Amino acid sequence: MTARIALIGNPNSGKTTMFNKLTGSSQRVGNWPGVTVERKEGWLKNKEDIMVVDLPGIYSLSPYSPEEIVSRDFLLNSRPDAVINIVDASNLERNLYLTTQIIEIGIPTVIALNMMDVVSKQGYKINVGKLSEALGCTIVETAALKGDGIEELTEAVVSTIGAKGSGGLTFSRTMEEYVSRMEEAIHGKVPEETVRWYALKLLERDEKAKKDIDPDVWDKTETIVSSMEERKDNDADGIVAEERYSQIGKIINDTVDKGNVKREETRSDRIDRVVTSRWLGIPVFIMIMFAIYFVAIETIGGWGTDMLNDYIGNTLMPAAEKWLTDANAADWMVGLVVNGIIAGVGAVIGFLPQMAVLFLILVLLEECGYMSRVAFIMDHVFRKFGLSGKSFISVLVGMGCGVPGIMSSRSIEGKAERRITAMTVTFIPCSAKLPVIALIAGALFGQSAFVAISVYAFGIISILSSGIILKKWKSLSGTPSPFIMELPPYHVPHMLSVVRSTLERAWSFVKMAGTFVLLACVAVWLLSSFDWGFRMVDAGDSMLADIGNVLRYVFVPLGFGDDWQFATATMTGLAAKENIVGTMGVLFSSGGVGGEGLWNIVGSMLTQAGGYSFLLFNMMCAPCFAAIGAMRAELGSWKDTGKAVLYQCTLAYTLSLVVYQFATIFFGNGPEWWLILAIAALATSIYIIVSKKPFGFLRRGQDA
Amino acid sequence: MLNAATLLVGLAVLAVVILASYSVYKTIRGGGCGSCSECPKGKGRQTCDRCPKNER
């Protein structure tokens, strides 16, 4: 028979790391809250009949956030056979607030006292035996990151299955009186083992708990709560929280020996004084980002990419061509393999060294704890634009891939903020867009890291401006969510975890090139090699050229509509953004694959302003199909998803138009007629941002 | 007429295209979107809580 164990704890208590250790899986671990949005399941290592369910990190079992609701519903309705409560020993008081609520549900609970290594470093001592006695649960000391105590924890939880729950804390005499009265009032209305939990929740005036019981007793429960509030002269939830913290305080006094340890400024505190400072935080972040792209794009990663491109273009392609020609294969077959598959896939794979270096540095920054600081710093900025640090966490996740970035928006409490985040998170370049940035930087800007930094800056500016613009739409107005986040101490990243995360991301990139991009390259080669009568022709007379020649007029005001190739590359990018580079690899394969061959051709066909405009449009416009699907899941309807995609494309078009048209005045051949359109678009954008009710004339639309 | 080399290379390309298509199909069918770099080994909804195929 299968048993189920729930894994539950505060955000950032090391829960996902523990899940990975217990099950041997490799779920993504983040150094910020919200990595686990829904529950996930795995089998206990070496005990294949026991399932471990990882629940989202929460601070209490109150139904305030989606994560709290998911965890609470699972514990109450699915009633697992046992619970492992991960407690961050270095933040015992706050963590026990959740523990006391879990044990009240009556499910046998084992506490994993995690991060004991940090407690030892701080010089504290915890009397684990006494703590176990006070809470009525088995406690196992663990350090999940190092793998300490995992076996003991597994044994403890297996032996707990089938045992009786502890029942929870005993509160003050007055409080216990009210609990007893409430228990009496709801007796028989809820399962016997959860009576105490429900009694306490009803004393807190928990509306969700109230809905679970028979409405006939609502009057009775309300009378008890009102009388308690009157006697204690406080709000119901405040009274219960105070009682809880008072009991927790007593337990901590009895079990934690703080010795003569004085709170001294740690190394983390000293670093944070600079890194999270009001004035230096953002400049330091920009400098770090610049350094990352300097190393990944311009120097170390760039050198690797140059070498790989040289190999593909100068060795692999000629060798394949010679081998196929010597074997007497037909010319079209040589073209398909060399100029279609190798040139297209090679153009994308050529960027692997740059991507790998970038992934490595980003993983290091996540693991050491810096990225959590960035979310904290950006909370101040985002809040001014109606968003919050929670939105920025989605942006951080979205830097890897837009899909999880969009999905992570579901941890945001405010509906309006959640929807705006889901609609705008793809403005930040994901890893699939990086090869496009590297291509334009290489072809037109001497591989400058400033290109990448400026695109990220435009991404952030677009998200913030959208915060202002979209909030003016009635259905998207609302206040930003509260943002509570712990800043974990800086620590040396766990190398195995860093290597594994980097390799996983790099492998995803290779897999994408070998599947989606390969198929797209074959399709692009076929469409660019045959006409509508299926006769082999030059690319300029092909089906793709005909399609591109219609589409390209849309992009003339943006500076990349003179040649059909850029219009078709933009279109293929809708399936997956890597296809943009793959398509160019196929269409420009006569100049040699990737690297300088491709860069020279792109550089000769676009001006710097046109190239940058092409880059901006492709970064900001509709994301790939997968991300659009994820948006549909979050926004709940295709109609709203359509509106979101339309908004993204309009913003991308406006931004590229304005940037290109103004850039041609300063760096190009002087103004074009389209400048009038750019000025009108800019004026309209400013009006929408500044005006209080810019959509007043669309009242019907707003009310929809 | 196709000569032997063209035929053999053509079959090899066809095999690669079928394998790539199958891989894409499997990733999408399995629950993953296929282009999500966070999708653990393409297992999608079975293990990934961020997978768009997950029920809300």
Side-chain angles (χ1 to χ4, degrees), chain A residues 590-643:
Chain A
S590 57
V593 73
E596 286 184 14
L598 184 57
W599 294 350
N600 288 340
I601 294 188
V602 173
S604 67
M605 292 174 79
L606 289 171
T607 60
Q608 281 190 326
Y612 194 77
S613 161
F614 172 77
L615 180 61
L616 270 189
F617 184 79
N618 279 290
M619 296 297 108
M620 308 289 166
C621 74
C624 64
F625 289 151
I628 293 175
M631 265 204 297
R632 158 71 183 78
E634 291 310 306
L635 298 177
S637 76
W638 280 114
K639 193 179 159 195
D640 288 348
T641 310
K643 283 183 193 168

Side-chain angles (χ1 to χ4, degrees), chain B:
Chain B
M1 276 292 286
L2 295 176
N3 62 30
T6 306
L7 197 66
L8 278 175
V9 177
L11 284 173
V13 170
L14 192 64
V16 170
V17 167
I18 290 170
L19 278 176
S21 310
Y22 178 65
S23 171
V24 169
Y25 166 79
K26 217 176 84 176
T27 333
I28 294 170
R29 187 73 202 276
C33 53
S35 62
C36 172
S37 61
E38 310 298 328
C39 189
K41 298 179 183 72
K43 284 180 185 164
R45 79 177 110 186
Q46 288 135 30
T47 51
C48 180
D49 61 317
R50 294 188 191 288
C51 181
K53 297 275 175 152
N54 270 321
E55 294 287 319
R56 289 200 71 186

Side-chain angles (χ1 to χ4, degrees), chain A residues 289-468:
Chain A
M289 289 302 280
F290 179 80
I292 293 170
Y293 286 93
F294 179 75
V295 174
I297 308 284
E298 272 193 66
T299 53
I300 299 172
W303 299 330
T305 286
D306 287 347
M307 280 195 284
L308 188 55
N309 277 330
D310 278 350
Y311 171 74
I312 297 171
N314 299 333
T315 310
L316 187 64
M317 274 178 74
E321 190 169 2
K322 185 174 179 305
W323 184 77
L324 288 168
T325 313
D326 289 350
N328 212 19
D331 286 348
W332 64 268
M333 183 55 78
V334 178
L336 171 62
V337 174
V338 178
N339 300 327
I341 296 172
I342 301 180
V345 175
V348 177
I349 286 289
F351 291 105
L352 181 63
Q354 287 177 325
M355 298 301 111
V357 175
L358 189 64
F359 295 152
L360 175 70
I361 303 173
L362 289 177
V363 169
L364 282 171
L365 286 178
E366 274 177 32
E367 293 261 332
C368 76
Y370 176 68
M371 284 305 197
S372 343
R373 268 76 183 174
V374 177
F376 170 74
I377 300 162
M378 294 307 277
D379 181 55
H380 295 296
V381 182
F382 271 48
R383 207 155 278 281
K384 291 193 174 97
F385 294 86
L387 299 167
S388 73
K390 280 206 166 182
S391 302
F392 191 74
I393 285 177
S394 298
V395 172
L396 280 177
V397 177
M399 281 182 180
C401 174
V403 174
I406 293 167
M407 306 310 281
S408 69
S409 67
R410 70 171 65 162
S411 67
I412 299 170
E413 288 91 346
K415 189 182 170 195
E417 190 186 341
R418 186 168 65 235
R419 290 169 77 85
I420 292 175
T421 305
M423 287 165 72
T424 58
V425 75
T426 54
F427 288 149
I428 206 76
C430 64
S431 57
K433 291 174 181 172
L434 292 175
V436 191
I437 300 176
L439 172 72
I440 295 298
L444 293 154
F445 297 94
Q447 281 188 290
S448 169
F450 282 110
V451 177
I453 297 296
S454 64
V455 172
Y456 278 87
F458 270 118
I460 297 278
I461 292 166
S462 301
I463 293 168
L464 296 178
S465 322
S466 300
I468 299 177

Side-chain angles (χ1 to χ4, degrees), chain A residues 12-86:
Chain A
N12 249 331
S13 57
K15 226 163 33 59
T16 305
T17 308
M18 183 68 82
F19 177 80
N20 288 344
K21 294 281 178 193
L22 287 169
T23 61
S25 66
S26 54
Q27 288 292 333
R28 185 172 189 278
V29 178
N31 225 335
W32 48 72
V35 168
T36 312
V37 184
E38 283 196 350
R39 65 185 208 218
K40 57 191 168 215
E41 295 162 357
W43 298 98
L44 196 61
K45 219 166 21 175
N46 306 324
K47 307 263 182 211
E48 301 257 309
D49 54 344
I50 299 177
M51 179 188 276
V52 183
V53 183
D54 187 14
L55 296 170
I58 50 173
Y59 292 107
S60 78
L61 288 177
S62 308
Y64 296 132
S65 69
E67 294 101 320
E68 283 167 345
I69 293 170
V70 166
S71 299
R72 169 179 158 138
D73 285 352
F74 183 75
L75 293 182
L76 279 178
N77 304 332
S78 303
R79 288 203 73 84
D81 299 282
V83 170
I84 297 176
N85 173 213
I86 315 287

Side-chain angles (χ1 to χ4, degrees), chain A residues 467-479:
Chain A
I468 299 177
I469 294 168
L470 294 171
K471 287 239 162 177
K472 292 181 180 177
W473 204 260
K474 197 177 170 188
S475 60
L476 291 172
S477 59
T479 49

